[in-house]
Amino acid sequence: MRFWLTTQWPHLKSDPPNAIHNGVWVKQDKRRVIAEMAPGDLVWIYESQSGKAIVQESADGGRRFLRRRIGRGGVVTLAEVVEPPGEDLASTEEQYDDGTKAWWQWKATTRIVDSVGFIPREDLNDVLSYKRNNPLRGFGTENSGLMEITPAQHLVLQSAFLASHEEQDAIRLRTGSSIRGRGVGGEGPVHLALKNAIALDPAGCLGEDGLSLIQMEFPFGATGDRIDVLLRDRLNWFVAVEVEPECPASHIAGPLQCMKYRSMLAYLLERDVTEVRALLVTHELSAEVRARSTRYEIECLLVPRLDEVYAEHASCS
């Protein structure tokens, strides 16, 4: 895995108000710079405070200016590269209000990892060992707007980005769970044992490095719903875990709960639903449930039975 930093102009005023920076582009003569990116790489996206307006000319000689919003002047998104860089077939040469032109021909497709944090330009300059007032114009390798950063620089940015919204995340979680709904009730020993095993050792039980426990039985106070186990992963995404002892072909409750919890967490935390994961964990999983769940971006995990733990819980009940 490699780490990158890219710069982008603010969104156009005509873009949706909740538009998120995603993807990496370089001009037609900078292909060699972006070619080194690979799926799994992480890229930080810096939004400048201003950017050039796009000029559109009509057949009758008229001109329309697509102007930009005022940018935030800082790092606004962490994204992960999901496809090898290639030509953006939808791109064309753009003309700008200062008389210049550019063709952003090469693109690396990314998925959003975190779009709610923020690192001011001055702090970014500190990490890069630049002067704090550096405007970051002509930035990147060969002035491409893209450069590779070191793992150490990435870790500093990651810590600062998470810290910028961690307190607000905690407040939203507390607010969302403060009104108590219905009790748990009706939980069998198999379900309870698997849930406890996940909470005690998320990474080991689920076979994924970087998982950590936030809370068991996380309640949505307003609705009375409860997530069996709420985790964070290595990218600091929230992971809603729904535990089901068995998922035969006719089973629909677990997947429906996963879809609901994923959307509810995203709404509560005020972030894109793609930044929240839903994981269905079971001892028996039919091919039908797996295929249908995959279609709706529900992750399914089959884990071995823990018979000794079940026997212990059964003897105590």
Side-chain angles (χ1 to χ4, degrees):
M1 178 190 300
R2 298 166 74 173
F3 307 100
W4 305 83
L5 174 67
T6 191
T7 59
Q8 294 185 11
W9 290 329
H11 289 289
L12 297 172
K13 291 182 178 180
S14 57
D15 288 337
N18 59 344
I20 299 173
H21 289 283
N22 196 14
V24 180
W25 287 265
V26 298
K27 296 178 182 178
Q28 73 271 18
D29 59 340
K30 306 298 182 183
R31 181 180 183 180
R32 59 187 171 276
V33 178
I34 200 172
E36 298 183 15
M37 302 185 85
D41 288 358
L42 295 178
V43 55
W44 295 96
I45 301 176
Y46 168 86
E47 180 187 70
S48 61
Q49 291 182 317
S50 62
K52 300 178 182 180
I54 298 174
V55 179
Q56 292 183 335
E57 295 186 352
S58 59
D60 61 3
R63 305 179 82 199
R64 178 188 177 201
F65 293 85
L66 303 181
R67 303 196 181 279
R68 300 183 183 275
R69 304 170 189 165
I70 298 174
R72 298 182 66 189
V75 177
V76 294
T77 306
L78 173 62
E80 181 181 31
V81 178
V82 295
E83 295 179 6
E87 185 174 3
D88 184 356
L89 299 178
S91 67
T92 58
E93 187 177 66
E94 293 180 343
Q95 180 178 339
Y96 302 117
D97 58 346
D98 63 354
T100 61
K101 296 181 180 180
W103 180 17
W104 303 94
Q105 183 179 10
W106 307 106
K107 176 184 180 181
T109 300
T110 63
R111 65 169 180 169
I112 298 168
V113 172
D114 189 341
S115 64
V116 297
F118 181 72
I119 301 174
R121 186 189 69 201
E122 293 79 7
D123 293 347
L124 173 62
N125 280 327
D126 285 343
V127 176
L128 299 176
S129 298
Y130 297 163
K131 292 182 179 179
R132 285 182 62 82
N133 62 352
N134 188 319
L136 296 178
R137 297 192 185 96
F139 173 84
T141 304
E142 301 181 20
N143 297 326
S144 63
L146 173 66
M147 68 175 287
E148 185 174 3
I149 61 174
T150 68
Q153 289 172 324
H154 165 74
L155 289 176
V156 175
L157 292 177
Q158 185 178 50
S159 177
F161 205 69
L162 178 61
S164 72
H165 65 77
E166 194 168 30
E167 181 179 354
Q168 191 60 48
D169 285 346
I171 291 172
R172 287 170 178 150
L173 289 175
R174 286 198 301 270
T175 301
S177 63
S178 60
I179 305 173
R180 297 297 176 184
R182 59 180 179 271
V184 180
E187 185 172 39
V190 175
H191 184 279
L192 180 60
L194 179 53
K195 185 175 67 177
N196 284 338
I198 295 170
L200 286 171
D201 183 13
C205 185
L206 302 180
E208 180 180 332
D209 291 339
L211 290 176
S212 60
L213 177 67
I214 295 178
Q215 185 175 335
M216 286 183 62
E217 292 291 344
F218 175 81
F220 292 95
T223 65
D225 293 286
R226 289 175 180 267
I227 300 174
D228 283 331
V229 188
L230 182 59
L231 307 174
R232 275 190 189 271
D233 69 7
R234 66 177 182 84
L235 296 175
N236 291 309
W237 281 4
F238 289 87
V239 184
V241 178
E242 172 68 11
V243 174
E244 295 287 343
E246 301 174 353
C247 293
S250 60
H251 179 83
I252 63 171
L256 289 179
Q257 293 286 74
C258 284
M259 292 182 70
K260 177 170 64 173
Y261 295 156
R262 186 179 185 219
S263 296
M264 291 170 71
L265 269 177
Y267 186 91
L268 181 64
L269 295 164
E270 296 186 21
R271 64 188 62 192
D272 194 89
V273 72
T274 61
E275 297 175 51
V276 179
R277 296 170 57 189
L279 180 59
L280 177 62
V281 180
T282 182
H283 294 310
E284 295 183 17
L285 179 65
S286 70
E288 292 88 343
V289 172
R290 181 185 290 277
R292 196 169 177 182
S293 296
T294 300
R295 179 181 176 186
Y296 295 100
E297 299 183 333
I298 300 167
E299 302 172 52
C300 295
L301 184 63
L302 188 64
V303 298
R305 288 186 174 273
L306 308 172
D307 294 326
E308 321 79 52
V309 182
Y310 297 157
E312 179 183 347
H313 281 284
S315 64
C316 297
S317 59

